[in-house]
Amino acid sequence: MLFFNIMHIRHRKILDILLRDGEFSIKRGALELGVTEMTLRRDLRELEKEKQLLQVKGGATFFPVGYFPDGINENANEKFCMSRALANRILPAETLFIGTGSTAFVFASYLARLRNRRMTVVTHSLAVATALYRSSCRVIMLGGELRPSSLDLTGAVAEKNLREYHVEYLVTSCDGALSEYGFYTSDPGLANLEKNMIAVADKVAVIAASKKFAKPALTLFASCDDVDLVVSDSDLSDRDCANLRERNIEVIKAE
């Protein structure tokens, strides 16, 4: 029994490294986990049988069960650290709405690894739903019109469906932000849905890299008054932190 527990813990660590780095290297993994490369190859075979990952030369990558959003491998470690910090802060929430984008996908993927966490996730993102496939989460998809630029659903049907739900936390991201004013998206249609998401959530958490600040996009979807929590990376400036906190927003800088 002890052997299986150790193996299960190691499998979890392998999946966390894959999510953190965007890939898994047998050589680096052996050093980080303190086991032999032969042991890791055996672990990867087991995880591939469970469709948790796909073996490639020298390691493993994500199992191709569906669509992965653009930018999934860009700053993967940063997104993983922010996702872990956000999960540590808001769990054990029982109901979440998760928005769209590569950072939301990584957050959903992180939740999927928490096998002992049972929660209900509402989303309009096919990528987020894919990330939560075979997890312990109950997943509810909104209807709507498929966006041409991204595999998520927006429009009147999505907005109407959304009114039927209530969640503890909305977890969303942004294309740009100004710490004095709020959070922006480049898609006006998505902005309208985001505003409706805010209306059905008790609290709103925005997960966004520091580079998104001081760079607004086309449409404001959330003012600072709408947001309760911002999770960013360690490079978020002191000025932006101070501006957000002055507006009663909790700020977490993920190390």
Side-chain angles (χ1 to χ4, degrees):
M1 181 65 72
L2 179 60
F3 169 76
F4 285 107
N5 286 339
I6 292 172
M7 186 174 68
H8 178 70
I9 292 169
R10 193 169 62 246
H11 285 185
R12 289 278 302 276
K13 289 180 178 179
I14 289 169
L15 294 171
D16 282 347
I17 292 170
L18 173 60
L19 182 59
R20 182 192 72 195
D21 297 343
E23 61 181 4
F24 182 84
S25 164
I26 288 175
K27 288 188 179 297
R28 292 198 302 271
L31 291 173
E32 183 169 344
L33 298 177
V35 296
T36 66
E37 293 183 17
M38 184 180 296
T39 296
L40 284 184
R41 288 191 178 91
R42 185 167 59 246
D43 289 338
L44 296 184
R45 286 196 296 271
E46 291 295 322
L47 288 167
E48 187 175 51
K49 287 179 184 177
E50 297 175 3
K51 294 182 170 52
Q52 296 284 350
L53 50 73
L54 181 68
Q55 292 188 88
V56 296
K57 185 177 180 181
T61 187
F62 292 104
F63 188 83
V65 294
Y67 167 78
F68 297 101
D70 292 339
I72 182 61
N73 288 325
E74 180 183 348
N75 300 318
N77 184 53
E78 175 185 276
K79 292 171 184 174
F80 173 84
C81 292
M82 291 191 296
S83 296
R84 179 173 56 191
L86 177 58
N88 288 342
R89 172 61 184 84
I90 69 174
L91 297 183
E94 295 183 355
T95 54
L96 303 176
F97 192 106
I98 302 179
T100 187
S102 61
T103 306
F105 174 83
V106 172
F107 176 70
S109 299
Y110 184 85
L111 292 185
R113 307 304 178 201
L114 306 179
R115 297 293 186 181
N116 60 333
R117 296 288 188 184
R118 296 189 178 275
M119 66 193 80
T120 298
V121 174
V122 186
T123 186
H124 66 121
S125 166
L126 298 178
V128 166
T130 296
L132 294 170
Y133 174 62
R134 299 182 70 212
S135 74
S136 58
C137 296
R138 178 189 183 197
V139 180
I140 298 173
M141 288 286 302
L142 298 184
E145 180 180 350
L146 188 65
R147 279 206 297 165
S149 60
S150 178
L151 276 180
D152 50 76
L153 304 168
T154 59
V157 173
E159 292 165 19
K160 181 179 179 181
N161 287 170
L162 188 56
R163 298 188 196 108
E164 300 174 5
Y165 299 102
H166 171 266
V167 295
E168 293 170 65
Y169 269 97
L170 164 62
V171 175
T172 188
S173 189
C174 62
D175 294 326
L178 292 174
S179 55
E180 303 94 332
Y181 300 110
F183 304 86
Y184 297 77
T185 176
S186 55
D187 187 331
L190 179 60
N192 204 46
L193 183 62
E194 293 268 14
K195 292 174 183 177
N196 282 272
M197 294 177 196
I198 292 169
V200 302
D202 289 335
K203 294 186 177 181
V204 176
V206 176
I207 181 168
S210 57
K211 65 182 180 182
K212 298 288 184 71
F213 285 81
K215 188 180 178 183
L218 178 63
T219 308
L220 180 76
F221 71 85
S223 71
C224 288
D225 291 338
D226 295 320
V227 175
D228 301 280
L229 171 65
V230 167
V231 178
S232 190
D233 56 74
S234 58
D235 291 331
L236 186 66
S237 71
D238 292 340
R239 173 181 171 275
D240 285 327
C241 284
N243 284 339
L244 293 169
R245 286 168 176 151
E246 283 176 8
R247 288 155 180 81
N248 298 315
I249 298 175
E250 181 183 353
V251 179
I252 296 175
K253 295 167 71 169
E255 298 297 334

